[in-house]
Amino acid sequence: MTQDTTPTGTGTGAGSAGDTAPSSGSGTDPAAVDDRMVIAENVHKHFGRLEVLRGIDLEVRRGEVMCVIGPSGSGKSTFLRCINHLEKVDGGRLWVNGQLMGYRQKRGKLYELHDAQVAEQRRGIGMVFQSFNLFPHMSVIGNIMEAPVQVKREKRAAAREKAMRLLERVGLAEKASSYPRQLSGGQQQRVAIARALAMEPDLMLFDEPTSALDPELVGEVLAVMKGLAEDGMTMVVVTHEMGFAREVGDSLVFMDDGVVVESGPPREVLADPREERTQAFLSRVL
């Protein structure tokens, strides 16, 4: 039985939307016609007394690369984890690909989904973390095959063929039989990207994917991400790589103290930020 878990600060304004994303007012089913992949509406998150997210509102269009920047502790990674319900929101709502993440909505109240239902929602979302999180006892190709075989019940032969295609895509086909300990950090992160892609996601989330890498290895990971962007993958990237944001990003969001301070086209925000907090941050990192 589902539990009534209406988060604090979550009103009834979106009650007519049901389990799909809020409509633009046309009355048409937004899941069928809407080009918004992610919709965050007044998202709040706290850990004890610490309020980490204080009302996040933003949208990510299909095929868009959104880069999120900001100082440490600003809530960037927490927000990314809320998108796929690795962290439960304490207020507001998050839709991904037309689905209300982690909850069903009825007459303005939210009822938490069962774990299996949340896992089903997450199938369409790939996530790459700062640490590579590869299974050390599995080969590279075994790491990539694991989720498609165990979760999607793909045949091993088909999963292996797909895994090899993905390894070729990230430039590591010759490492299929290697183990994570035999790879550099950049190679491990590229395997982690291939592993996420093996589930054929509609959305990719990157949580500072190059922060744990030596400087000389950063470029090889960013090149793979740039290739995904060129192929039209929808991506939300928490990053401190301003060059990548400027060159590849379609939109840039600056977060500080749990709120979106400023957003816009990356070149405009980076070259001429409007807000003092953005200006101060960029003066330290550019």
Side-chain angles (χ1 to χ4, degrees):
M1 183 174 181
T2 53
Q3 182 181 0
D4 184 350
T5 58
T6 308
T8 314
T10 308
T12 59
S16 62
D19 291 340
T20 58
S23 171
S24 60
S26 64
T28 308
D29 179 4
V33 301
D34 206 326
D35 71 342
R36 295 174 293 178
M37 177 64 75
V38 179
I39 304 171
E41 184 180 90
N42 195 30
V43 171
H44 288 255
K45 176 65 184 178
H46 58 77
F47 297 102
R49 294 183 178 180
L50 178 63
E51 192 170 17
V52 180
L53 300 177
R54 301 189 296 121
I56 301 294
D57 292 291
L58 58 77
E59 298 176 354
V60 183
R61 302 283 168 175
R62 297 181 191 277
E64 177 180 347
V65 177
M66 174 179 284
C67 294
V68 184
I69 64 172
S72 178
S74 60
K76 308 182 302 295
S77 294
T78 297
F79 176 67
L80 209 66
R81 292 171 64 86
C82 285
I83 290 177
N84 65 359
H85 204 63
L86 286 176
E87 296 288 354
K88 299 177 183 179
V89 301
D90 295 309
R93 291 158 169 78
L94 268 165
W95 288 266
V96 176
N97 207 13
Q99 290 187 308
L100 181 62
M101 286 300 298
Y103 301 93
R104 64 180 177 87
Q105 182 170 282
K106 186 174 181 180
R107 289 192 288 274
K109 282 193 173 183
L110 299 183
Y111 298 83
E112 192 167 359
L113 299 179
H114 294 296
D115 289 346
Q117 294 172 302
V118 175
E120 182 66 28
Q121 289 184 325
R122 288 197 190 114
R123 285 192 184 190
I125 306 172
M127 187 161 186
V128 177
F129 300 88
Q130 297 177 36
S131 54
F132 320 123
N133 295 331
L134 300 177
F135 298 118
H137 63 288
M138 290 185 179
S139 66
V140 164
I141 196 166
N143 267 276
I144 298 172
M145 291 171 58
E146 180 70 5
V149 170
Q150 298 298 328
V151 178
K152 298 181 73 174
R153 303 300 180 189
E154 292 183 8
K155 299 292 185 182
R156 293 191 66 84
R160 178 176 291 274
E161 182 181 344
K162 179 168 64 176
M164 284 305 304
R165 289 199 306 269
L166 289 169
L167 283 173
E168 290 173 5
R169 183 174 187 176
V170 300
L172 290 172
E174 76 284 359
K175 299 292 186 180
S177 300
S178 300
Y179 285 80
R181 66 181 179 273
Q182 299 172 309
L183 305 180
S184 70
Q187 290 170 333
Q188 289 188 62
Q189 193 63 294
R190 283 187 279 160
V191 173
I193 294 172
R195 182 178 60 179
L197 292 173
M199 292 295 285
E200 301 175 336
D202 298 308
L203 169 69
M204 285 287 288
L205 308 176
F206 293 87
D207 187 7
E208 299 199 33
T210 61
S211 64
L213 301 179
D214 293 333
E216 66 269 21
L217 302 177
V218 169
E220 63 190 51
V221 174
L222 295 180
V224 171
M225 295 170 62
K226 182 179 179 181
L228 292 178
E230 290 171 348
D231 290 344
M233 174 64 73
T234 309
M235 300 159 59
V236 182
V237 184
V238 172
T239 185
H240 58 271
E241 300 291 341
M242 301 302 164
F244 175 85
R246 183 184 293 107
E247 180 183 357
V248 181
D250 297 302
S251 60
L252 183 68
V253 170
F254 171 65
M255 286 182 61
D256 191 15
D257 197 23
V259 299
V260 173
V261 176
E262 183 167 353
S263 62
R267 293 178 183 272
E268 292 182 14
V269 174
L270 293 174
D272 188 23
R274 300 185 305 274
E275 303 295 330
E276 288 187 8
R277 287 156 75 183
T278 316
Q279 294 168 8
F281 173 77
L282 292 176
S283 70
R284 295 193 298 269
V285 300
L286 292 179

